[in-house]
Amino acid sequence: MSRPISRRTSLSLAIGGIAALSLAACSDPGEGSGAGQDAPASWPASTDKLDGVELTLWAAQSSAAIPEKVAAAFEEATGATVSIVTIPDPYEQGVQTKVATGDVPDLAMWQPTASQLLALGAKERLQPLDGAPWEKATQDSVLAAGGTLDGTRYAAFISAPSIMGVWYNKQVFATHGASVPTSFEQLLTLARDLKSKGVTPFYEMGGEWWASQWAVQVQLAEAAKDGLWDRVNANEDQFTGKDIQGAIDTYNSMIEEGLFNSDIKTGTFDQQAKAVLSGEAAMAIQVTSLLGNMAAQADTATLDSTIGFFPISASGTLATSIPDQTNAVVAFKSGDAKREEAARQFLTYWLSEGYADFIKDQNTVSIIKDVQTPDTVPAALVESNKALDSSVGSMQSLAIANPDLAKNLGDMIAGTKTAAQVGQETQAQFAQLAKAMGAKGF
């Protein structure tokens, strides 16, 4: 299951990372069979012998265990050695710093969004993965959720992208005769009704602010589908505009109205999971990682009888997808043709021979068309995955840079920023990042 997305690093570090990678990419375009090519030279069979070949895979603390068993199986099948190296948090910044100095692995777990691929210098540093044998076998909705930059695929999905939406306690809904809402306004009406009955409508983890952005982002789904982030990327719209600032204002009004837990300023991710699972709170606006947290506290039967999921958006039920670094893998141009080919072979093995055992071990939904999802996967996770079919990308997926929206919203929860200041400061940060990467209009 998907783990929590790591907190945003500071703006100065982010700008520094972008500048360093841009400079390194310009001064050293890379060598070897993979450098500068439009497509890999070949896609070897998944179990071709690789005796003596050593691969390194970088992962975050939250994802280091994910590839362990499939890597061991690949080693046994091919004779290769796969070393999994944990890069300390903040993972993204650590990886970018290493890559900028020329220190690259063969593979890495990586968030397959346009902004994060740009931050890694994908065009110069990563192997293009177009034409991979697993590409046609992967669900179309998953491929559409990310992994590409300017039409070239640079990331292989290994699991379903996270979905933003509402995770709710079915028993609380049943007790109070609540129906699943079909718009954000209906969601607010439901929340007010539950509050009038003495129920805490939503639990927000304001003490760990990385999730504060989901309640804002779900409100932007229709606007995103209509090109919101394209306009923001071109500086034709801003975080202070009617769509984004309006969503921030609505979220702030929900807090002021008391629709969240009374300890919102100190609430944690673990407390959020416990609150929804126990019925202490009726709902949480979150990504898929919340179910993973609840799954660590309850068995599948309990989850199926207790926890439900529904997508929500401003005027309907359009889901918002946000793949994170636990969902995908990239392959680097190492300059060693044999290792580059072996890295591609490992991805092929992972998403073919090794995939059924992998998703059984992870207890997650299958993204490969001819591999069945295990019966042990919670129904709510299956439901959230179905929402991918009609989803739209998040800010992380569609914006060219990711400012500290979550951190600024966390400050708003803490009372140190107003809703207006959140929009203003986030826009200023976005403009700085966009300018640093040479985006037009900034």
Side-chain angles (χ1 to χ4, degrees):
M1 300 213 180
S2 191
R3 274 74 168 176
I5 297 168
S6 59
R7 297 181 178 187
R8 303 304 310 163
T9 53
S10 72
L11 185 68
S12 60
L13 287 175
I15 293 174
I18 289 171
L21 277 172
S22 297
L23 178 60
C26 290
S27 61
D28 178 16
E31 300 175 356
S33 64
Q37 292 185 183
D38 292 328
S42 65
W43 285 97
S46 61
T47 56
D48 281 355
K49 288 303 177 182
L50 293 169
D51 294 321
V53 177
E54 298 181 1
L55 297 176
T56 299
L57 189 158
W58 287 354
Q61 293 176 353
S62 62
S63 57
I66 292 175
E68 285 181 349
K69 290 188 178 180
V70 71
F74 179 71
E75 290 176 332
E76 184 176 353
T78 66
T81 299
V82 181
S83 298
I84 300 169
V85 178
T86 301
I87 304 300
D89 288 334
Y91 177 68
E92 292 82 0
Q93 182 60 32
V95 170
Q96 290 176 52
T97 299
K98 286 177 174 290
V99 170
T101 63
D103 181 5
V104 298
D106 298 293
L107 301 136
M109 306 292 292
W110 195 252
Q111 186 177 29
T113 59
S115 58
Q116 284 296 80
L117 290 172
L118 276 168
L120 201 56
K123 294 181 180 181
E124 295 78 22
R125 297 299 180 187
L126 300 182
Q127 294 192 53
L129 304 178
D130 294 311
W134 40 263
E135 199 169 21
K136 290 184 178 179
T138 304
Q139 292 176 1
D140 294 341
S141 59
V142 173
L143 291 176
T148 62
L149 189 62
D150 293 338
T152 298
R153 178 158 298 282
Y154 292 105
F157 278 98
I158 54 154
S159 60
S162 291
I163 290 289
M164 297 179 203
V166 181
W167 303 86
Y168 70 99
N169 188 296
K170 294 179 181 178
Q171 296 169 4
V172 172
F173 269 43
T175 297
H176 297 282
S179 299
V180 171
T182 57
S183 70
F184 205 82
E185 188 56 44
Q186 286 187 20
L187 179 65
L188 294 180
T189 298
L190 169 62
R192 291 165 183 139
D193 181 61
L194 289 171
K195 183 186 178 186
S196 72
K197 296 175 180 177
V199 178
T200 298
F202 300 102
Y203 195 100
E204 183 63 281
M205 40 174 286
E208 296 179 22
W209 43 257
W210 58 263
S212 61
Q213 61 185 307
W214 311 142
V216 170
Q217 288 214 47
V218 295
Q219 299 179 62
L220 300 175
E222 284 89 2
K225 189 175 182 179
D226 191 44
L228 169 66
W229 297 112
D230 289 336
R231 295 190 294 274
V232 171
N233 291 339
N235 206 16
E236 296 170 357
D237 201 341
Q238 298 188 342
F239 285 80
T240 53
K242 64 179 182 64
D243 290 315
I244 305 177
Q245 186 64 58
I248 294 170
D249 292 343
T250 295
Y251 180 45
N252 188 51
S253 296
M254 292 167 66
I255 296 171
E256 292 179 341
E257 197 174 339
L259 299 182
F260 292 96
N261 43 303
S262 58
D263 61 344
I264 184 173
K265 293 184 179 181
T266 59
T268 67
F269 185 52
D270 286 342
Q271 290 172 334
Q272 184 182 56
K274 290 176 182 176
V276 178
L277 187 59
S278 68
E280 177 188 334
M283 300 174 283
I285 303 174
Q286 251 289 11
V287 291
T288 313
S289 57
L290 181 64
L291 188 66
N293 192 315
M294 290 189 282
Q297 304 176 43
D299 58 26
T300 298
T302 300
L303 291 176
D304 286 349
S305 65
T306 308
I307 302 300
F309 170 85
F310 58 87
I312 202 73
S313 56
S315 59
T317 56
L318 180 60
T320 301
S321 65
I322 177 166
D324 65 44
Q325 59 87 13
T326 68
N327 298 140
V329 183
V330 295
F332 281 83
K333 295 174 181 176
S334 64
D336 185 313
K338 183 65 176 178
R339 282 171 35 218
E340 288 179 5
E341 185 173 77
R344 299 194 298 272
Q345 182 175 329
F346 179 50
L347 293 177
T348 298
Y349 179 87
W350 195 335
L351 293 167
S352 57
E353 276 86 347
Y355 198 68
D357 287 339
F358 170 70
I359 60 171
K360 183 177 180 181
D361 173 58
Q362 296 292 306
N363 198 34
T364 193
V365 296
S366 172
I367 63 168
I368 301 299
K369 295 172 184 176
D370 61 354
V371 178
Q372 294 296 312
T373 294
D375 294 337
T376 54
V377 173
L381 183 58
V382 175
E383 286 301 310
S384 68
N385 186 57
K386 289 179 181 178
L388 268 177
D389 292 340
S390 58
S391 65
V392 67
S394 61
M395 175 186 75
Q396 287 80 356
S397 299
L398 301 177
I400 56 174
N402 290 314
D404 289 334
L405 174 61
K407 177 63 170 66
N408 293 330
L409 289 167
D411 291 344
M412 185 184 78
I413 292 172
T416 59
K417 280 188 177 73
T418 65
Q421 287 173 328
V422 170
Q424 292 163 2
E425 293 194 23
T426 305
Q427 176 58 35
Q429 292 165 352
F430 180 83
Q432 282 184 271
L433 290 166
K435 186 176 181 179
M437 63 176 57
K440 293 181 180 180
F442 294 89

mmCIF file of all heavy atoms in Angstrom, residues 351-379:
data_model
loop_
_atom_site.group_PDB
_atom_site.id
_atom_site.type_symbol
_atom_site.label_atom_id
_atom_site.label_comp_id
_atom_site.label_asym_id
_atom_site.label_seq_id
_atom_site.Cartn_x
_atom_site.Cartn_y
_atom_site.Cartn_z
ATOM 1 N N LEU A 351 7.485 -6.466 -13.479
ATOM 2 C CA LEU A 351 6.127 -6.263 -13.988
ATOM 3 C C LEU A 351 5.623 -7.420 -14.852
ATOM 4 O O LEU A 351 4.612 -7.287 -15.535
ATOM 5 C CB LEU A 351 6.083 -4.947 -14.773
ATOM 6 C CG LEU A 351 6.302 -3.708 -13.887
ATOM 7 C CD1 LEU A 351 6.575 -2.479 -14.724
ATOM 8 C CD2 LEU A 351 5.107 -3.487 -12.963
ATOM 9 N N SER A 352 6.303 -8.555 -14.786
ATOM 10 C CA SER A 352 5.829 -9.751 -15.504
ATOM 11 C C SER A 352 5.921 -10.959 -14.589
ATOM 12 O O SER A 352 5.047 -11.161 -13.747
ATOM 13 C CB SER A 352 6.628 -9.962 -16.803
ATOM 14 O OG SER A 352 8.014 -10.057 -16.551
ATOM 15 N N GLU A 353 6.984 -11.740 -14.684
ATOM 16 C CA GLU A 353 7.108 -12.951 -13.858
ATOM 17 C C GLU A 353 6.991 -12.686 -12.362
ATOM 18 O O GLU A 353 6.445 -13.495 -11.615
ATOM 19 C CB GLU A 353 8.445 -13.652 -14.144
ATOM 20 C CG GLU A 353 8.440 -14.563 -15.343
ATOM 21 C CD GLU A 353 8.729 -13.815 -16.629
ATOM 22 O OE1 GLU A 353 8.700 -12.560 -16.624
ATOM 23 O OE2 GLU A 353 8.984 -14.482 -17.647
ATOM 24 N N GLY A 354 7.530 -11.557 -11.924
ATOM 25 C CA GLY A 354 7.551 -11.295 -10.492
ATOM 26 C C GLY A 354 6.340 -10.561 -9.946
ATOM 27 O O GLY A 354 6.228 -10.363 -8.727
ATOM 28 N N TYR A 355 5.403 -10.182 -10.836
ATOM 29 C CA TYR A 355 4.371 -9.249 -10.381
ATOM 30 C C TYR A 355 3.301 -9.870 -9.487
ATOM 31 O O TYR A 355 2.888 -9.260 -8.495
ATOM 32 C CB TYR A 355 3.699 -8.546 -11.564
ATOM 33 C CG TYR A 355 2.970 -7.306 -11.106
ATOM 34 C CD1 TYR A 355 3.686 -6.210 -10.641
ATOM 35 C CD2 TYR A 355 1.591 -7.235 -11.092
ATOM 36 C CE1 TYR A 355 3.046 -5.075 -10.170
ATOM 37 C CE2 TYR A 355 0.935 -6.104 -10.634
ATOM 38 C CZ TYR A 355 1.662 -5.022 -10.165
ATOM 39 O OH TYR A 355 1.022 -3.907 -9.690
ATOM 40 N N ALA A 356 2.848 -11.075 -9.796
ATOM 41 C CA ALA A 356 1.801 -11.699 -8.977
ATOM 42 C C ALA A 356 2.265 -11.876 -7.537
ATOM 43 O O ALA A 356 1.516 -11.591 -6.583
ATOM 44 C CB ALA A 356 1.393 -13.039 -9.580
ATOM 45 N N ASP A 357 3.489 -12.337 -7.355
ATOM 46 C CA ASP A 357 4.017 -12.504 -6.000
ATOM 47 C C ASP A 357 4.236 -11.151 -5.331
ATOM 48 O O ASP A 357 4.043 -11.009 -4.117
ATOM 49 C CB ASP A 357 5.338 -13.280 -6.034
ATOM 50 C CG ASP A 357 5.145 -14.756 -6.347
ATOM 51 O OD1 ASP A 357 4.024 -15.262 -6.143
ATOM 52 O OD2 ASP A 357 6.113 -15.392 -6.791
ATOM 53 N N PHE A 358 4.615 -10.153 -6.121
ATOM 54 C CA PHE A 358 4.859 -8.816 -5.569
ATOM 55 C C PHE A 358 3.582 -8.225 -4.977
ATOM 56 O O PHE A 358 3.588 -7.746 -3.835
ATOM 57 C CB PHE A 358 5.411 -7.897 -6.656
ATOM 58 C CG PHE A 358 5.464 -6.444 -6.252
ATOM 59 C CD1 PHE A 358 6.368 -6.010 -5.296
ATOM 60 C CD2 PHE A 358 4.606 -5.509 -6.824
ATOM 61 C CE1 PHE A 358 6.422 -4.672 -4.913
ATOM 62 C CE2 PHE A 358 4.648 -4.186 -6.449
ATOM 63 C CZ PHE A 358 5.554 -3.757 -5.497
ATOM 64 N N ILE A 359 2.484 -8.236 -5.726
ATOM 65 C CA ILE A 359 1.266 -7.616 -5.189
ATOM 66 C C ILE A 359 0.656 -8.445 -4.069
ATOM 67 O O ILE A 359 -0.017 -7.906 -3.186
ATOM 68 C CB ILE A 359 0.222 -7.343 -6.300
ATOM 69 C CG1 ILE A 359 -0.201 -8.636 -7.010
ATOM 70 C CG2 ILE A 359 0.742 -6.312 -7.273
ATOM 71 C CD1 ILE A 359 -1.379 -8.432 -7.941
ATOM 72 N N LYS A 360 0.919 -9.755 -4.076
ATOM 73 C CA LYS A 360 0.459 -10.582 -2.955
ATOM 74 C C LYS A 360 1.222 -10.204 -1.697
ATOM 75 O O LYS A 360 0.638 -10.074 -0.615
ATOM 76 C CB LYS A 360 0.653 -12.058 -3.276
ATOM 77 C CG LYS A 360 0.128 -12.998 -2.198
ATOM 78 C CD LYS A 360 0.295 -14.454 -2.608
ATOM 79 C CE LYS A 360 -0.241 -15.388 -1.529
ATOM 80 N NZ LYS A 360 -0.062 -16.822 -1.911
ATOM 81 N N ASP A 361 2.520 -10.002 -1.843
ATOM 82 C CA ASP A 361 3.353 -9.601 -0.707
ATOM 83 C C ASP A 361 2.957 -8.217 -0.203
ATOM 84 O O ASP A 361 2.891 -7.985 1.013
ATOM 85 C CB ASP A 361 4.823 -9.604 -1.127
ATOM 86 C CG ASP A 361 5.741 -9.045 -0.054
ATOM 87 O OD1 ASP A 361 5.728 -9.594 1.066
ATOM 88 O OD2 ASP A 361 6.464 -8.069 -0.327
ATOM 89 N N GLN A 362 2.657 -7.296 -1.113
ATOM 90 C CA GLN A 362 2.284 -5.933 -0.735
ATOM 91 C C GLN A 362 0.809 -5.807 -0.366
ATOM 92 O O GLN A 362 0.383 -4.794 0.172
ATOM 93 C CB GLN A 362 2.593 -4.976 -1.888
ATOM 94 C CG GLN A 362 4.079 -4.861 -2.218
ATOM 95 C CD GLN A 362 4.855 -4.174 -1.123
ATOM 96 O OE1 GLN A 362 4.518 -3.074 -0.710
ATOM 97 N NE2 GLN A 362 5.908 -4.823 -0.646
ATOM 98 N N ASN A 363 0.023 -6.840 -0.705
ATOM 99 C CA ASN A 363 -1.423 -6.848 -0.476
ATOM 100 C C ASN A 363 -2.072 -5.599 -1.074
ATOM 101 O O ASN A 363 -2.783 -4.842 -0.409
ATOM 102 C CB ASN A 363 -1.749 -6.932 1.014
ATOM 103 C CG ASN A 363 -3.194 -7.390 1.245
ATOM 104 O OD1 ASN A 363 -3.734 -8.194 0.476
ATOM 105 N ND2 ASN A 363 -3.818 -6.892 2.303
ATOM 106 N N THR A 364 -1.827 -5.431 -2.357
ATOM 107 C CA THR A 364 -2.332 -4.242 -3.047
ATOM 108 C C THR A 364 -2.946 -4.621 -4.384
ATOM 109 O O THR A 364 -2.814 -5.762 -4.840
ATOM 110 C CB THR A 364 -1.194 -3.214 -3.247
ATOM 111 O OG1 THR A 364 -1.748 -1.969 -3.635
ATOM 112 C CG2 THR A 364 -0.190 -3.677 -4.294
ATOM 113 N N VAL A 365 -3.628 -3.676 -5.002
ATOM 114 C CA VAL A 365 -4.325 -3.945 -6.253
ATOM 115 C C VAL A 365 -3.335 -4.115 -7.398
ATOM 116 O O VAL A 365 -2.245 -3.537 -7.396
ATOM 117 C CB VAL A 365 -5.328 -2.823 -6.604
ATOM 118 C CG1 VAL A 365 -6.427 -2.748 -5.560
ATOM 119 C CG2 VAL A 365 -4.609 -1.484 -6.721
ATOM 120 N N SER A 366 -3.730 -4.898 -8.377
ATOM 121 C CA SER A 366 -2.895 -5.122 -9.549
ATOM 122 C C SER A 366 -3.092 -4.002 -10.562
ATOM 123 O O SER A 366 -4.213 -3.545 -10.787
ATOM 124 C CB SER A 366 -3.250 -6.461 -10.208
ATOM 125 O OG SER A 366 -2.576 -6.608 -11.439
ATOM 126 N N ILE A 367 -1.996 -3.588 -11.184
ATOM 127 C CA ILE A 367 -2.084 -2.604 -12.272
ATOM 128 C C ILE A 367 -1.755 -3.257 -13.612
ATOM 129 O O ILE A 367 -1.758 -2.590 -14.642
ATOM 130 C CB ILE A 367 -1.152 -1.406 -12.040
ATOM 131 C CG1 ILE A 367 0.323 -1.846 -12.022
ATOM 132 C CG2 ILE A 367 -1.512 -0.682 -10.744
ATOM 133 C CD1 ILE A 367 1.313 -0.696 -12.085
ATOM 134 N N ILE A 368 -1.456 -4.558 -13.592
ATOM 135 C CA ILE A 368 -1.162 -5.310 -14.803
ATOM 136 C C ILE A 368 -2.427 -6.056 -15.226
ATOM 137 O O ILE A 368 -3.031 -6.773 -14.424
ATOM 138 C CB ILE A 368 0.005 -6.296 -14.590
ATOM 139 C CG1 ILE A 368 1.263 -5.529 -14.168
ATOM 140 C CG2 ILE A 368 0.267 -7.109 -15.853
ATOM 141 C CD1 ILE A 368 1.761 -4.513 -15.181
ATOM 142 N N LYS A 369 -2.834 -5.865 -16.469
ATOM 143 C CA LYS A 369 -4.144 -6.298 -16.932
ATOM 144 C C LYS A 369 -4.424 -7.783 -16.739
ATOM 145 O O LYS A 369 -5.554 -8.174 -16.418
ATOM 146 C CB LYS A 369 -4.311 -5.935 -18.407
ATOM 147 C CG LYS A 369 -4.318 -4.426 -18.665
ATOM 148 C CD LYS A 369 -4.278 -4.097 -20.146
ATOM 149 C CE LYS A 369 -4.178 -2.605 -20.397
ATOM 150 N NZ LYS A 369 -4.046 -2.268 -21.833
ATOM 151 N N ASP A 370 -3.430 -8.650 -16.927
ATOM 152 C CA ASP A 370 -3.703 -10.085 -16.833
ATOM 153 C C ASP A 370 -3.291 -10.691 -15.489
ATOM 154 O O ASP A 370 -3.209 -11.911 -15.354
ATOM 155 C CB ASP A 370 -3.020 -10.841 -17.982
ATOM 156 C CG ASP A 370 -1.502 -10.689 -17.961
ATOM 157 O OD1 ASP A 370 -0.999 -9.912 -17.126
ATOM 158 O OD2 ASP A 370 -0.833 -11.344 -18.779
ATOM 159 N N VAL A 371 -3.037 -9.839 -14.488
ATOM 160 C CA VAL A 371 -2.718 -10.315 -13.142
ATOM 161 C C VAL A 371 -3.847 -9.894 -12.208
ATOM 162 O O VAL A 371 -4.171 -8.707 -12.107
ATOM 163 C CB VAL A 371 -1.376 -9.741 -12.639
ATOM 164 C CG1 VAL A 371 -1.106 -10.214 -11.216
ATOM 165 C CG2 VAL A 371 -0.239 -10.169 -13.565
ATOM 166 N N GLN A 372 -4.445 -10.859 -11.547
ATOM 167 C CA GLN A 372 -5.595 -10.598 -10.690
ATOM 168 C C GLN A 372 -5.188 -9.974 -9.355
ATOM 169 O O GLN A 372 -4.156 -10.320 -8.779
ATOM 170 C CB GLN A 372 -6.352 -11.906 -10.412
ATOM 171 C CG GLN A 372 -6.995 -12.522 -11.644
ATOM 172 C CD GLN A 372 -8.077 -11.626 -12.224
ATOM 173 O OE1 GLN A 372 -8.940 -11.117 -11.510
ATOM 174 N NE2 GLN A 372 -8.025 -11.437 -13.541
ATOM 175 N N THR A 373 -6.006 -9.051 -8.871
ATOM 176 C CA THR A 373 -5.814 -8.480 -7.544
ATOM 177 C C THR A 373 -6.073 -9.551 -6.490
ATOM 178 O O THR A 373 -7.080 -10.264 -6.570
ATOM 179 C CB THR A 373 -6.770 -7.295 -7.324
ATOM 180 O OG1 THR A 373 -6.411 -6.241 -8.226
ATOM 181 C CG2 THR A 373 -6.698 -6.781 -5.887
ATOM 182 N N PRO A 374 -5.215 -9.710 -5.487
ATOM 183 C CA PRO A 374 -5.432 -10.716 -4.443
ATOM 184 C C PRO A 374 -6.758 -10.515 -3.708
ATOM 185 O O PRO A 374 -7.204 -9.379 -3.509
ATOM 186 C CB PRO A 374 -4.237 -10.490 -3.498
ATOM 187 C CG PRO A 374 -3.182 -9.862 -4.357
ATOM 188 C CD PRO A 374 -3.934 -8.985 -5.318
ATOM 189 N N ASP A 375 -7.380 -11.623 -3.304
ATOM 190 C CA ASP A 375 -8.659 -11.554 -2.588
ATOM 191 C C ASP A 375 -8.528 -10.877 -1.230
ATOM 192 O O ASP A 375 -9.526 -10.452 -0.645
ATOM 193 C CB ASP A 375 -9.231 -12.965 -2.390
ATOM 194 C CG ASP A 375 -9.617 -13.612 -3.708
ATOM 195 O OD1 ASP A 375 -9.871 -12.879 -4.686
ATOM 196 O OD2 ASP A 375 -9.661 -14.863 -3.761
ATOM 197 N N THR A 376 -7.322 -10.797 -0.719
ATOM 198 C CA THR A 376 -7.094 -10.223 0.610
ATOM 199 C C THR A 376 -7.035 -8.705 0.624
ATOM 200 O O THR A 376 -6.973 -8.090 1.688
ATOM 201 C CB THR A 376 -5.768 -10.764 1.180
ATOM 202 O OG1 THR A 376 -4.721 -10.510 0.221
ATOM 203 C CG2 THR A 376 -5.867 -12.267 1.448
ATOM 204 N N VAL A 377 -7.066 -8.072 -0.548
ATOM 205 C CA VAL A 377 -6.975 -6.610 -0.623
ATOM 206 C C VAL A 377 -8.282 -5.983 -0.129
ATOM 207 O O VAL A 377 -9.368 -6.399 -0.549
ATOM 208 C CB VAL A 377 -6.686 -6.157 -2.068
ATOM 209 C CG1 VAL A 377 -6.758 -4.642 -2.186
ATOM 210 C CG2 VAL A 377 -5.307 -6.651 -2.501
ATOM 211 N N PRO A 378 -8.231 -4.992 0.756
ATOM 212 C CA PRO A 378 -9.458 -4.352 1.261
ATOM 213 C C PRO A 378 -10.317 -3.774 0.134
ATOM 214 O O PRO A 378 -9.798 -3.224 -0.848
ATOM 215 C CB PRO A 378 -8.920 -3.234 2.159
ATOM 216 C CG PRO A 378 -7.567 -3.709 2.591
ATOM 217 C CD PRO A 378 -7.024 -4.455 1.408
ATOM 218 N N ALA A 379 -11.629 -3.904 0.287
ATOM 219 C CA ALA A 379 -12.561 -3.443 -0.744
ATOM 220 C C ALA A 379 -12.427 -1.943 -1.004
ATOM 221 O O ALA A 379 -12.576 -1.488 -2.140
ATOM 222 C CB ALA A 379 -13.987 -3.775 -0.323
#
